[in-house]
Amino acid sequence: MSQHLSEQELVRRESLTKLRALGINPYPQALYPVNTLSRDITENFVEGKKVIIAGRLMARRIQGNASFAEIQDSEGRVQVYFKRDEICEGEDKTLYNEVYKKLLDNGDFIGVEGELFTTQVGEKSIRVKKFILLSKSLKPLPLPKIDSEGNVHDAFSDPELRYRRRYVDLVVNEHVKATFIKRSKIITSMRNFLNSKGYLEVETPILQAIPGGAAARPFITHHNALDIPLYLRIANELYLKRLIVGGFDGVYEFAKDFRNEGMDRTHNPEFTQMEIYVSYKDYHWMMDFTEEMLETICNEVLGTTTVKIGNNEVSFKRPFKRISMIDAIKEHTGIDIVDMDQIQLRETCKKLNVAFDDSMGKGKLIDELFGEKCEANYIQPTFITDYPKEMSPLCKEHRDNPELTERFELMVNGKELANAYTELNDPIDQKERFEEQARLAEKGDDEAMFIDMDFVRALEYGMPPTSGMGIGIDRLCMFLTNNSSIQEVLFFPQMKPEKKALELSEAEKTILTLMKATPKMELGALKNATRLSGKQFDTGMKGLSKHGLIKVEVNDEAKFCVLQA
RNA sequence: GAUUUGGUAGCUCAGUCGGUAGAGCAUAUCCCUUUUAAGGAUAGGGUCCUGGGUUCGAAUCCCAGCCAGAUCACCA
């Protein structure tokens, strides 16, 4: 691919050479003493103030000996005014006529020294006294423009290109940059909240010998020195709980987790989760805590608890609705399943058109009913509590009902945002639940959990009563930035590898072989000799011409194909 | 994984019945001293996603593939 440059790329490379010939280094070493950002100029404008700014040249409107340009820095854009005779005080006007007008391009980084003034049209601008090229750009940026009515022209909008070249997306699409700034603020706000409560931010292994804490297919890799398989973590739960065993009152981690599963608009192979464990608490406390945390983040980052998500308006103002899974099913289907056995549950599923199979036990059936009939209805933040036991092998049995667990999921806009337990701390029960998972794995459930005997050993030393919660950071960012796909809140979402540049095609090779034997041939004869179809011959010829390997010459009545040296 | 839509210039997109590839912006050259998506004139710029097929002839029709989007399924 690298051999073919577009006309615009060639022009910029020529400009580079010309700049060097003029003694201008297009990539200077020295720092540039920036003292002002574009936002300072627009927000705290002082007529005549001297400023030094730097950024990318993003637009130029040249009017003979005067010109308006726009410089974009990290905070936005500002207009700068170049006047030939101010930049070139003497007779030599090269700096304006050649360097500025011809050798600079959109996308170049320049530094500008000048003073603030207001144009006749009222635009706050900088009158340039001196400018310097800081870095030359060799590829043209897409240049979306917004007209006076707010319509975007030539938007850089193709998702494939935007995700693969996120750097371009960020330069050109202000709203994309804003999304990622908001993401950073959300994480900072959450971290501040957790720290303010006195909890300790920790780091636990990403490479794990036993991937635990969730039901998911892991990525596997290999450690050479130890000669063992290692897995990329699917959750950090089991390590954080070991730390509670070790005596910390509250630990949390912002964790990249990795799951070797499908990719779509809500799933990326690596994603971010915040997990927190606090000793001497239960899941009721954790609901209060989660509410407070989310309300705080909304107020800090958005300045409001009302958030627009798609067509819905969602309020993160406390308190959130709380409802048990069984009551939720009753609410949305009118059916009370509280005393049903497995057979009755299957009949209920059949009646409600909920798909199930024979391997599903009671818990799975209830979960299926909830997922199909209820989940999507919870637009406003709602805690769904008390999940069936077999779905939750790390969660403590419910204090009032041994078939349930003390677990909640927080639903927002019909999707799961957070998941929490009163943590199971009975080591014997934990070991039995792991063994049950192992039996499921043997039956072919590829999401069943591995048995982590060291974790059981840790529990045997004793873990205080603890509540833990995990919240999907990517999903939270999607909600708070009103994006419906995870790719929009990840800088570099996973993509399939880009296609490699093509070698010569078979048709091209055939033609080239013939041409090497006979460097000049009449076209018709060449085509016959290749025995290619019309289309194959045509594309082959086009391809070779493109590569500069052959040339077609026309004299009088005949066309000849000539091999190029 | 299923269904579906799309892939044409640096960017955004047209392209009729199968008959030499189009526009705007961007770029280049020339003119122009206060403009605001776009000053004027002229010019250059194409692997029409890839491969095969049908055809005298394919961006266009057919088949296969690649990539992406959307919807659905799956997802502690």
Side-chain angles (χ1 to χ4, degrees), chain A residues 279-507:
Chain A
S279 57
Y280 310 116
K281 309 295 186 195
D282 64 7
Y283 77 138
H284 292 296
W285 177 89
M286 190 58 87
M287 283 188 249
D288 298 340
F289 182 83
T290 304
E291 281 175 348
E292 188 188 348
M293 181 174 84
L294 289 173
E295 191 186 68
T296 305
I297 291 168
C298 287
N299 279 325
E300 279 188 18
V301 176
L302 308 174
T304 170
T305 51
T306 305
V307 180
K308 195 167 174 352
I309 305 177
N311 295 322
N312 298 320
E313 220 171 62
V314 173
S315 168
F316 283 92
K317 191 162 178 52
R318 284 185 284 173
F320 301 167
K321 181 178 175 179
R322 300 179 187 191
I323 184 169
S324 77
M325 186 175 251
I326 285 168
D327 287 342
I329 292 170
K330 199 192 292 175
E331 186 176 277
H332 289 101
T333 66
I335 297 171
D336 189 348
I337 59 161
V338 69
D339 291 320
M340 286 191 183
D341 60 19
Q342 187 166 316
I343 294 161
Q344 291 170 302
L345 282 168
R346 284 191 183 171
E347 280 166 7
T348 307
C349 284
K350 206 176 282 175
K351 199 165 78 185
L352 296 171
N353 267 326
V354 174
F356 62 93
D357 63 60
D358 294 341
S359 74
M360 290 179 178
K362 252 182 101 167
K364 190 84 182 159
L365 290 164
I366 293 171
D367 189 55
E368 206 64 28
L369 278 171
F370 176 79
E372 282 294 313
K373 294 293 165 190
C374 310
E375 191 168 296
N377 297 308
Y378 293 104
I379 302 301
Q380 298 304 320
T382 305
F383 293 110
I384 306 296
T385 64
D386 304 341
Y387 281 59
K389 194 168 179 179
E390 66 178 275
M391 309 292 305
S392 318
L394 299 166
C395 184
K396 195 180 270 188
E397 187 177 294
H398 196 278
R399 59 194 80 179
D400 303 324
N401 183 344
E403 294 198 344
L404 301 178
T405 52
E406 297 206 348
R407 170 178 179 182
F408 73 76
E409 285 191 5
L410 174 60
M411 311 301 301
V412 176
N413 202 40
K415 306 243 165 55
E416 176 193 341
L417 176 60
N419 183 15
Y421 306 147
T422 302
E423 301 294 337
L424 178 58
N425 61 348
D426 173 344
I428 294 169
D429 189 357
Q430 182 66 79
K431 182 154 177 277
E432 282 168 5
R433 301 238 212 142
F434 273 146
E435 283 161 356
E436 174 60 25
Q437 291 290 308
R439 279 193 287 278
L440 288 175
E442 271 170 33
K443 274 198 245 166
D445 184 343
D446 57 5
E447 287 189 345
M449 293 185 191
F450 291 59
I451 299 186
D452 187 337
M453 283 312 292
D454 176 68
F455 176 67
V456 174
R457 178 165 63 197
L459 292 189
E460 284 171 351
Y461 281 98
M463 181 171 86
T466 296
S467 184
M469 190 264 292
I471 181 167
I473 297 297
D474 307 302
R475 202 162 272 182
L476 179 62
C477 291
M478 285 163 66
F479 288 148
L480 299 190
T481 62
N482 194 14
N483 276 300
S484 59
S485 78
I486 194 172
Q487 285 79 16
E488 295 292 349
V489 298
L490 298 172
F491 274 127
F492 303 106
Q494 193 57 241
M495 304 284 281
K496 292 195 185 178
E498 278 187 85
K499 274 185 291 181
K500 282 183 189 161
L502 287 176
E503 298 288 313
L504 287 187
S505 71
E506 285 306 309

Side-chain angles (χ1 to χ4, degrees), chain A residues 73-174:
Chain A
D73 63 14
S74 61
E75 297 281 296
R77 285 193 189 189
V78 64
Q79 175 169 278
V80 294
Y81 174 70
F82 285 83
K83 193 171 180 184
R84 188 187 65 193
D85 296 333
E86 284 204 58
I87 292 160
C88 311
E89 284 184 10
E91 286 302 303
D92 182 6
K93 305 298 183 191
T94 310
L95 199 56
Y96 183 80
N97 288 340
E98 290 299 314
V99 177
Y100 172 74
K101 274 169 71 174
K102 293 188 181 168
L103 302 179
L104 290 192
D105 292 286
N106 283 332
D108 289 353
F109 283 89
I110 63 171
V112 157
E113 266 184 78
E115 53 191 45
L116 304 188
F117 80 111
T118 310
T119 65
Q120 288 177 6
V121 198
E123 175 100 4
K124 293 162 182 170
S125 309
I126 304 172
R127 178 180 282 110
V128 179
K129 302 288 184 192
K130 271 164 83 177
F131 76 96
I132 180 175
L133 175 60
L134 296 173
S135 180
K136 182 90 190 130
S137 158
L138 295 182
K139 272 190 187 296
L141 288 167
L143 289 173
K145 294 190 177 104
I146 300 165
D147 66 20
S148 48
E149 285 160 17
N151 304 312
V152 181
H153 301 260
D154 294 337
F156 181 59
S157 57
D158 176 8
E160 180 178 357
L161 270 175
R162 290 207 298 115
Y163 301 156
R164 288 193 195 279
R165 305 190 188 174
R166 181 69 88 185
Y167 34 88
V168 174
D169 196 21
L170 289 164
V171 169
V172 144
N173 287 325
E174 202 184 342

